[in-house]
Amino acid sequence: FFISICNGKVIMDKTLFLVCPTDCLEGRINEQYNTVNYFYTSLGNSFNINEVSLKNIQELIKKHSIKNIYFVLSSDNRFILDALEGQSIFKDKRLASFYKEIYEHKHLSNKTWITNNNEHLIISHFLHKNIEQLEQKLYSITTYPLTIKGLIFNSLNNNFLPIYSNLTVLNKHQLN
């Protein structure tokens, strides 16, 4: 719950969720998060922060006084799973770098983490990158603090999990 009290009145915070439309998480988010929710979609959350997207998000934030932003992906997102296998559902040039980045990070994580299931780690890394990019772009547009976080929907347990901290998600590893 994100609730504020102002002059004795309860005010529900407004939250923007950046989601993949193929995950169909909007209903679950509305059930789980008792806030006023807004949604912005991109395939696989491969969010390209171009001028048009940034302008749309800035307008949403300003118009609705949004204070919280979440990047959300499902653990069984078809774009992520496809990229992890080195395949591409769509032969779209805009998604090519997304697929390449996910696939390369899979190989990096396999070399540095001893586990058979790195999906949560890889999705966390990917969402952290998006969070950092969006934070840099939105830094100067609000007069109040803006919180940007990431969530992964665990489809097996039907719940939302926070992404791993940035300390456990390294971009590159170098051994001497």
Side-chain angles (χ1 to χ4, degrees), residues 44-58:
N45 230 326
S46 60
F47 188 65
N48 183 8
I49 305 177
N50 58 29
E51 287 184 39
V52 174
S53 295
L54 188 59
K55 183 180 178 202
N56 290 336
I57 290 173
Q58 286 175 331

Side-chain angles (χ1 to χ4, degrees), residues 98-109:
F98 162 73
Y99 280 108
K100 182 180 177 189
E101 179 185 352
I102 297 295
Y103 190 70
E104 287 176 354
H105 198 72
K106 173 187 174 183
H107 287 290
L108 273 175
S109 66

Side-chain angles (χ1 to χ4, degrees), residues 40-167:
Y40 194 87
T41 63
S42 67
L43 295 176
N45 230 326
S46 60
F47 188 65
N48 183 8
I49 305 177
N50 58 29
E51 287 184 39
V52 174
S53 295
L54 188 59
K55 183 180 178 202
N56 290 336
I57 290 173
Q58 286 175 331
E59 287 175 3
L60 269 171
I61 291 169
K62 286 181 179 180
K63 181 179 179 182
H64 300 291
S65 301
I66 290 171
K67 294 187 174 141
N68 303 292
I69 299 174
Y70 284 93
F71 281 90
V72 184
L73 273 175
S74 177
S75 59
D76 63 356
N77 178 276
R78 63 189 260 194
F79 293 96
I80 296 289
L81 294 178
D82 206 39
L84 289 171
E85 296 302 317
Q87 300 177 40
S88 179
I89 295 173
F90 298 105
K91 304 299 179 200
D92 187 323
K93 290 180 184 176
R94 293 171 294 177
L95 291 174
S97 63
F98 162 73
Y99 280 108
K100 182 180 177 189
E101 179 185 352
I102 297 295
Y103 190 70
E104 287 176 354
H105 198 72
K106 173 187 174 183
H107 287 290
L108 273 175
S109 66
N110 285 341
K111 292 177 183 178
T112 56
W113 295 93
I114 302 170
T115 178
N116 292 331
N117 188 355
N118 289 343
E119 285 84 6
H120 195 95
L121 181 70
I122 293 166
I123 293 171
S124 293
H125 165 78
F126 177 69
L127 293 181
H128 268 294
K129 186 188 112 223
N130 287 350
I131 289 167
E132 288 171 6
Q133 288 177 354
L134 189 61
E135 281 176 335
Q136 288 175 356
K137 300 284 186 178
L138 296 179
Y139 180 72
S140 63
I141 70 151
T142 62
T143 56
Y144 51 85
L146 199 60
T147 302
I148 306 176
K149 295 183 179 181
L151 294 170
I152 298 173
F153 179 73
N154 183 327
S155 54
L156 295 175
N157 297 331
N158 200 29
N159 63 346
F160 291 93
L161 302 170
I163 59 175
Y164 289 136
S165 76
N166 211 15
L167 294 175

